[in-house]
Amino acid sequence: MTTSNKASHSRIYDLFARWSTISYRYGGWVLLIALLVAVASGIYVSRNLGMNTDTTEMLSEHLPFRVNMKHYNETFPQDMETLLIVLDAPTPEQARMATERLAARLKKDTANFHDVYAPNAGDFFERNGLLYESVPELEQITDRLAAAQPLIAHIAQEPTLTAFADVLTRAVEELHKGRSMELRPVLSGISATLDARLRESPRALSWQSLFNAEPQKSKYQELIVVKPRLDYSQLFPAEQSIAALHAAAKDVGVTGESPVRLRITGEVALAEEELNTSLRGMEYAGIITFVMVVVVLYFAMRTPGLILNVLVCLTLGLILTAAFATVAVGHLNIISIAFAVLYIGLGADFAIHFLLRYREILENGAQPVEAMKISGGDAGAALTACTITNAIGFYAFMPTDYSGVAELGIISGTGMIISLLVTLTVGPALLRYLPRRLPAKSTAKASVGRVLELSLKWHKVTYALTLVASVAALAILPQVTFDYNLLNMQDPQGEAVKTFRELLAEADHSPWHATALANDRKEAERLAQQLTKLPEVKNVVTILDFVPAEQEEKLQLIEEMALTMGPITFSSQAAGKGDEIPVQQRNALEALAVALDRFIAERPDHPASATARELKSSLAALFARLDGASLDERRSLLNSVENDLLATLPSALQSLRTATEATPFGQQDLPTSLASRWRSRSGDYRLVIYPAEDLNDNDALRRFVRAVQQEAPNATGAPMVSLEAGEAVVQAFVQAFLLALVGIIIALLIILRSVKYTLLVLLPLLLSSLFTATFTVLLNVPFNFANIIALPLLLGLGIDSSLHMVHRSLNKELVSEILIHTSTARAIFYSALTALVDFASLMFSSHRGTASMGIMLTVGLTFTLICTLVILPTLLRPPAQRAEA
């Protein structure tokens, strides 16, 4: 070391030697003041520290994609921060009715919801829905209804199971005689309905599907878009609105027992679910971590008093850092809340180094006051250097566009300074009273040292393995990727995530689409035409698409349909309750079975024979169930079958009657609730652009976004936000890492006054960073919005560990064989082990982002430990020893 460096070191050494000695001598007063400060800080934090969970504020508002998003949200504010309610039902009639009832109920709750919009519900689409069909489809519907009119009219006059079976029996007999009738949808639908009832998973028969001659699907889906009132002062801003939504659903009969199933997704629900699973994962991790950290500290300290000392210093440091965050920032965000995790990892490192150095000096026979002076000076000088480099690493994020991490940087960077002061102030004060007895000589010293001796003994092998691993890592490095898909970070079993992924599978209505704005109709038409030509785009929708073509020809067919149907009146006749009713129902069903048998036997090659066999089989199963049941059970089963078959007929007839009242309309006639979502008050037209590829693939996402931006630079939406935000995050971390690296190099050159030892400090950091990045490829855990936050912590721990080793080597001029047996090596090992158990528990979180952060930290810390305790000591060997070797 140079003379000036020794002088500088001497001043820092003397300062902290005196400081820690004073804290030790006046330990009682120091602890009392610390307690009062902790209590006051805790009260201040609990009353003033806020929580900002608005993820849109995580990145600078001046970024182009934020500017586009802000402009779009100002133009169509009803589309931002929404919940998407998904209603699934066995029939389209049930789905539509539930949607209309729930939407009407939510619109009344203005205290919890700004806006409620059901895209496919309401009088407009019910009345004009047929106009959106093609002319050939309308002709087919008209023909089918004409053929089915007598059957429908008869059942409507007498809506009972007996009448329905009689009508169907006559229809089968007519089919048997050679009349051209399309009965396959009816026969198949009835068969499926009976089978569902017998499986005790009943579902109603959809008459709307029968009218359209469509096979009944397993479920029908309707959507409601809700804009809730959010309270960002709460941890879960939409909690009250979501609770009100569930209460409203219960009020209108959508419960767990009803055939209609309600699910909630959308950007707000996804954010709530992500925060919930993330915090839940942190809670579980916290419990596991606390137990494991105590175990590690026991093996490191072997004394309850020293363990308590570490925990007290950590707790006080956390409280004071939280108080600083309250003063400097005023709130935490979903990123800066990680400061506690970062502080535990680095703060424990400070306390462990100081306490193990103190213990080492005591073990060598020094008196407590002398041991305090030496350990305070040694640890103070080393920890000051670590604090400077750590603070630089964290403060480097402040100038970046990633404001969420910038806040984390200022909080954590200052937290390192607080940790230094707490460790060297409260730590010595506690040592005045804890421990009371001199600890026995550590057995860990020998065991850790013996393991580390192997790398020195086989130093040539260490060099060779390091070189090979570095070359291999450099070859793999170009494959490192960043996952822009925010869904991949969340719990895949969460209801909001599963529902959202199901909607993504519906390409025509995927919630993952781009949106663009056009100033007028002409520009909207031109832009839509240009975007449609792109191979990355499947289709483009504008308000113009809601005005159907060929209305005159379609209206003529609809009028013909109305004349064909005639004035069908649905009777409200209720099913009888006498004992003869089940007998009549059974007889009518048996007559239907006989007619089916005759048809199948004599017309086996008829196209309807297969569906006739299915229904015959279902009826046979029903008869077998009835034969083994009591009278009450038979009555109940047959009444249930009657309800299953006829419950939706009134609704389907009413919808059909309403649909025949369609009138011609233009864009100006569209309902306000629809038009306002496609054309703004200022006249801007909204274009929705659907992708041709699956955007779960990052390459497809990039292709789609870049292609759309070529034609519409102002386009926004989830794909743009995901890609642009991801690139902004990567750029922010690259910028911060380079800035931190420059700052740390300058600080190390000033502290160490040696280019050689500066490189020796940096080499383990660079190697561990290289190996960690490589393992993201090997483990298939790409960087994402969550685990990239691990980088500043790995930077801090990497610098800390290597700087401690180099500083101790220079300070006491120790050779590697002695250095690996010192408290410094043991402190690095146990502080890293403490951090490892702290972060390894995160791997088991259900939140994939948190789990990937745990993997990243575990792998990174493992490599940091190897590079610092295995590779670095071999590089610190004196030149003479290397020459002899």
Side-chain angles (χ1 to χ4, degrees):
M1 299 176 69
T2 64
T3 305
S4 58
N5 191 27
K6 288 182 178 180
S8 174
H9 162 73
S10 178
R11 287 194 294 270
I12 297 174
Y13 179 96
D14 292 341
L15 172 64
F16 283 108
R18 288 196 297 269
W19 180 275
S20 57
T21 302
I22 292 171
S23 296
Y24 180 83
R25 286 177 176 170
Y26 299 96
W29 288 105
V30 170
L31 293 177
L32 177 61
I33 294 171
L35 178 62
L36 294 175
V37 171
V39 171
S41 298
I43 295 173
Y44 176 72
V45 169
S46 64
R47 293 180 178 178
N48 296 281
L49 183 61
M51 183 69 192
N52 180 14
T53 55
D54 187 355
T55 55
T56 60
E57 299 300 323
M58 296 295 100
L59 288 161
S60 171
E61 61 181 7
H62 301 297
L63 291 170
F65 85 93
R66 285 288 311 273
V67 174
N68 291 338
M69 183 172 63
K70 182 180 180 181
H71 175 61
Y72 175 79
N73 289 336
E74 289 173 349
T75 308
F76 292 98
Q78 65 269 41
D79 286 341
M80 68 179 293
E81 297 177 334
T82 59
L83 292 169
L84 191 59
I85 303 171
V86 180
L87 293 167
D88 298 321
T91 68
E93 296 92 336
Q94 291 170 314
R96 185 184 65 254
M97 288 188 292
T99 300
E100 291 174 349
R101 290 197 303 268
L102 182 57
R105 171 68 176 78
L106 293 176
K107 287 177 181 178
K108 296 177 181 178
D109 189 359
T110 56
N112 289 298
F113 306 104
H114 289 285
D115 183 67
V116 178
Y117 173 59
N120 300 320
D123 294 338
F124 178 82
F125 284 108
E126 190 172 4
R127 184 172 62 255
N128 299 297
L130 290 175
L131 289 174
Y132 290 96
E133 304 286 351
S134 67
V135 171
E137 288 172 338
L138 277 177
E139 290 174 342
Q140 292 178 9
I141 294 173
T142 302
D143 294 341
R144 285 194 298 267
L145 288 175
Q149 195 276 342
L151 182 147
I152 297 171
H154 189 89
I155 298 173
Q157 290 175 4
E158 188 182 350
T160 64
L161 178 60
T162 302
F164 182 36
D166 288 341
V167 170
L168 195 58
T169 300
R170 291 197 294 272
V172 172
E173 290 173 346
E174 290 294 319
L175 194 66
H176 174 235
K177 293 176 182 178
R179 182 178 174 181
S180 178
M181 299 175 66
E182 179 54 87
L183 286 183
R184 283 178 295 179
V186 177
L187 299 179
S188 179
I190 296 172
S191 176
T193 302
L194 292 177
D195 291 343
R197 170 57 63 178
L198 294 175
R199 290 194 306 268
E200 297 184 355
S201 56
R203 66 165 194 169
L205 175 67
S206 170
W207 283 85
Q208 180 178 318
S209 297
L210 293 182
F211 294 161
N212 294 332
E214 298 172 348
Q216 186 171 340
K217 296 186 292 187
S218 59
K219 71 175 181 179
Y220 292 82
Q221 199 170 80
E222 291 287 346
L223 304 177
I224 303 176
V225 182
V226 175
K227 185 175 177 62
R229 295 188 183 275
L230 304 178
D231 182 3
Y232 283 113
S233 65
Q234 301 297 317
L235 183 61
F236 297 96
E239 184 175 22
Q240 183 175 336
S241 296
I242 292 176
L245 198 161
H246 282 293
K250 185 177 180 181
D251 289 345
V252 299
V254 179
T255 63
E257 292 74 30
S258 69
V260 181
R261 178 190 177 197
L262 178 143
R263 293 178 293 166
I264 304 173
T265 187
E267 60 178 307
V268 172
L270 288 169
E272 292 273 309
E273 189 171 271
E274 179 177 25
L275 184 58
N276 184 42
T277 55
S278 179
L279 291 178
R280 188 172 67 246
M282 290 291 189
E283 289 173 2
Y284 298 150
I287 297 171
I288 298 171
T289 296
F290 179 78
V291 175
M292 294 300 295
V293 165
V294 171
V295 171
V296 172
L297 289 177
Y298 171 75
F299 282 103
M301 305 295 181
R302 300 284 180 172
T303 306
L306 293 178
I307 297 173
L308 183 60
N309 197 314
V310 175
L311 298 177
V312 169
C313 288
L314 277 177
T315 303
L316 180 59
L318 271 175
I319 294 173
L320 294 180
T321 304
F324 169 78
T326 307
V327 174
V329 182
H331 62 261
L332 297 177
N333 57 54
I334 60 173
I335 294 176
S336 62
I337 198 173
F339 89 89
V341 179
L342 298 177
Y343 186 89
I344 291 173
L346 291 170
D349 179 69
F350 281 32
I352 290 172
H353 273 280
F354 167 66
L355 294 174
L356 285 185
R357 180 70 177 123
Y358 173 75
R359 174 175 174 162
E360 181 184 50
I361 297 170
L362 285 180
E363 290 173 349
N364 290 331
Q367 294 301 310
V369 175
E370 182 185 1
M372 181 56 59
K373 180 179 179 181
I374 298 173
S375 60
D378 284 347
L383 293 178
T384 298
C386 293
T387 300
I388 293 171
T389 54
N390 269 318
I392 290 173
F394 284 117
Y395 288 152
F397 287 91
M398 292 173 58
T400 68
D401 290 324
Y402 200 177
S403 56
V405 176
E407 292 178 4
L408 173 66
I410 189 173
I411 294 170
S412 298
T414 307
M416 294 302 96
I417 299 173
I418 292 173
S419 180
L420 173 68
L421 296 176
V422 168
T423 299
L424 296 176
T425 303
V426 177
L430 284 169
L431 288 174
R432 177 72 182 270
Y433 306 100
L434 299 170
R436 288 303 223 177
R437 293 179 301 172
L438 183 68
K441 197 167 184 66
S442 174
T443 57
K445 172 180 178 179
S447 59
V448 172
R450 280 200 299 268
V451 172
L452 297 180
E453 282 176 352
L454 295 176
S455 65
L456 296 177
K457 183 177 180 180
W458 302 93
H459 56 275
K460 290 183 179 179
V461 176
T462 303
Y463 292 146
L465 290 176
T466 302
L467 180 61
V468 171
S470 299
V471 172
L474 286 171
I476 298 174
L477 192 62
Q479 300 178 42
V480 174
T481 59
F482 186 92
D483 186 0
Y484 301 98
N485 191 339
L486 291 168
L487 280 182
N488 290 341
M489 293 202 312
Q490 297 192 226
D491 180 5
Q493 300 305 314
E495 181 184 85
V497 173
K498 288 199 295 185
T499 305
F500 198 83
R501 287 194 182 278
E502 285 182 22
L503 295 177
L504 288 179
E506 300 291 334
D508 291 336
H509 304 287
S510 170
W512 249 13
H513 53 253
T515 55
L517 299 179
N519 295 326
D520 51 42
R521 175 171 179 161
K522 184 177 180 180
E523 184 184 351
E525 291 176 334
R526 178 190 61 79
L527 189 56
Q529 186 177 10
Q530 291 177 343
L531 289 168
T532 305
K533 294 178 182 178
L534 297 174
E536 296 84 4
V537 173
K538 182 173 185 179
N539 68 306
V540 181
V541 179
T542 70
I543 192 173
L544 306 176
D545 295 302
F546 290 91
V547 181
E550 303 176 295
Q551 291 192 36
E552 291 184 6
E553 187 176 354
K554 292 177 181 178
L555 286 169
Q556 291 177 2
L557 290 170
I558 292 172
E559 289 176 5
E560 181 183 340
M561 189 186 306
L563 292 172
T564 301
M565 291 299 297
I568 297 178
T569 303
F570 193 87
S571 172
S572 58
Q573 175 182 345
K577 297 183 179 179
D579 291 343
E580 73 280 0
I581 297 301
V583 176
Q584 295 173 0
Q585 293 171 326
R586 173 71 179 261
N587 291 338
L589 292 172
E590 288 181 341
L592 173 59
V594 171
L596 290 169
D597 271 336
R598 187 182 307 115
F599 172 72
I600 294 167
E602 299 181 12
R603 303 290 297 274
D605 297 328
H606 193 281
S609 291
T611 52
R613 290 188 185 92
E614 291 175 4
L615 180 54
K616 179 63 176 62
S617 176
S618 300
L619 287 171
L622 175 62
F623 296 152
R625 179 73 64 86
L626 291 171
D627 291 339
S630 65
L631 177 61
D632 289 340
E633 290 172 340
R634 289 199 295 271
R635 180 184 292 110
S636 175
L637 177 57
L638 288 170
N639 286 340
S640 297
V641 168
E642 180 177 84
N643 185 68
D644 290 344
L645 293 173
L646 300 173
T648 67
L649 181 57
S651 172
L653 284 174
Q654 178 59 45
S655 296
L656 184 60
R657 186 179 295 112
T658 302
T660 59
E661 299 172 358
T663 57
F665 66 90
Q667 181 180 322
Q668 70 280 0
D669 301 313
L670 293 173
T672 304
S673 60
L674 170 66
S676 64
R677 282 171 163 75
W678 294 93
R679 190 180 181 191
S680 69
R681 293 180 179 179
S682 59
D684 289 318
Y685 282 71
R686 171 175 172 249
L687 294 84
V688 173
I689 308 142
Y690 291 98
E693 298 180 272
D694 182 3
L695 297 191
N696 280 309
D697 178 19
N698 283 322
D699 292 333
L701 173 68
R702 185 181 297 277
R703 284 193 296 270
F704 174 71
V705 170
R706 297 306 181 218
V708 171
Q709 287 177 335
Q710 286 293 323
E711 300 294 338
N714 69 345
T716 185
M720 279 68 182
V721 171
S722 294
L723 181 64
E724 300 286 0
E727 291 187 342
V729 167
V730 172
Q731 183 178 351
F733 272 89
V734 170
Q735 177 186 344
F737 186 83
L738 293 176
L739 188 61
L741 189 61
V742 171
I744 289 171
I745 290 174
I746 293 173
L748 289 176
L749 288 172
I750 295 173
I751 294 169
L752 300 176
R753 302 293 178 90
S754 168
V755 174
K756 170 189 171 183
Y757 287 107
T758 296
L759 291 176
L760 285 173
V761 171
L762 290 175
L763 188 59
L765 172 65
L766 297 177
L767 285 175
S768 62
S769 300
L770 175 63
F771 296 150
T772 302
T774 301
F775 261 69
T776 64
V777 177
L778 299 178
L779 298 175
N780 193 26
V781 182
F783 285 105
N784 56 44
F785 291 92
N787 63 31
I788 201 168
I789 302 170
L791 295 182
L793 177 61
L794 294 175
L795 179 67
L797 284 172
I799 285 292
D800 269 10
S801 300
S802 56
L803 184 54
H804 276 300
M805 288 291 283
V806 172
H807 187 276
R808 184 70 185 272
S809 174
L810 291 176
N811 184 26
K812 299 298 181 180
E813 298 180 352
L814 301 178
V815 297
S816 297
E817 285 75 8
I818 298 176
L819 181 63
I820 59 175
H821 290 289
T822 63
S823 64
T824 299
R826 298 201 309 278
I828 291 171
F829 175 77
Y830 283 113
S831 63
L833 195 59
T834 302
L836 273 174
V837 299
D838 183 16
F839 302 128
S841 59
L842 298 177
M843 293 191 296
F844 304 102
S845 171
S846 57
H847 184 266
R848 284 188 171 181
T850 303
S852 68
M853 185 192 300
I855 294 172
M856 191 78 68
L857 287 167
T858 302
V859 171
L861 287 174
T862 301
F863 281 122
T864 297
L865 199 60
I866 292 172
C867 292
T868 305
L869 294 182
V870 177
I871 298 174
L872 182 58
T874 62
L875 297 175
L876 287 171
R877 297 172 73 241
Q881 291 185 5
R882 289 200 292 268
E884 292 173 5

